[in-house]
Amino acid sequence: MLRAILIERRRDERAGDPLEPVFAALAQGDSLILFPEGTRTADRLPQPFRGGLHRIAEAFPALNLVPAYLDTLHRSLPKGSHVPLPLYCTVRFGTPLPREPAEAREGFLTRAHAAVCALADPVRGTAA
């Protein structure tokens, strides 16, 4: 039903590229849900995004990166929990994030993070 790809956060040269399973899934046409901050927190808004999202965007320039915000995820699947709590979780989707030619890594990650945070408060378009 759900084929999760767990990504090792620390690079181990002996184990190879931690994003290789992600690249393989995308190459075969799979759709993925990514949590680019790399960890869960008790905070309502995501932490700054890690560089893997930029590597994926560079490797698959035609990929539609659609920002999504999962409201109450921090309560329904708290850090340290392996089983979701039976709470409603609202998902808000934004418009695909366009690729900017020669955009620097940090600029891209900041823009992607802002796009997700803007979905936290859809009325004002800003993070509340």
Side-chain angles (χ1 to χ4, degrees):
M1 177 177 2
L2 180 66
R3 296 180 302 160
I5 299 173
L6 303 177
I7 301 170
E8 181 59 46
R9 284 182 260 170
R10 287 178 224 77
R11 184 180 277 254
D12 179 359
E13 297 303 323
R14 295 172 302 201
D17 187 346
L19 290 179
E20 188 54 43
V22 173
F23 293 153
L26 290 171
Q28 69 183 26
D30 288 348
S31 295
L32 300 177
I33 299 170
L34 302 171
F35 295 91
E37 63 272 26
T39 190
R40 292 182 297 193
T41 68
D43 298 334
R44 186 171 169 264
L45 296 176
Q47 298 298 305
F49 289 175
R50 297 173 58 100
L53 181 64
H54 184 253
R55 288 189 53 217
I56 292 166
E58 282 187 322
F60 295 87
L63 185 66
N64 276 327
L65 296 173
V66 178
Y69 177 77
L70 287 83
D71 200 7
T72 71
L73 179 66
H74 64 288
R75 290 193 324 234
S76 61
L77 191 60
K79 186 169 181 132
S81 172
H82 298 289
V83 178
L85 299 174
L87 300 172
Y88 287 105
C89 187
T90 301
V91 181
R92 293 186 198 102
F93 294 97
T95 58
L97 199 60
R99 299 269 301 143
E100 303 290 335
E103 184 175 25
R105 176 180 179 250
E106 287 308 313
F108 172 79
L109 294 174
T110 299
R111 194 165 56 87
H113 184 266
V116 172
C117 289
L119 296 170
D121 185 359
V123 175
R124 291 193 300 253
T126 60

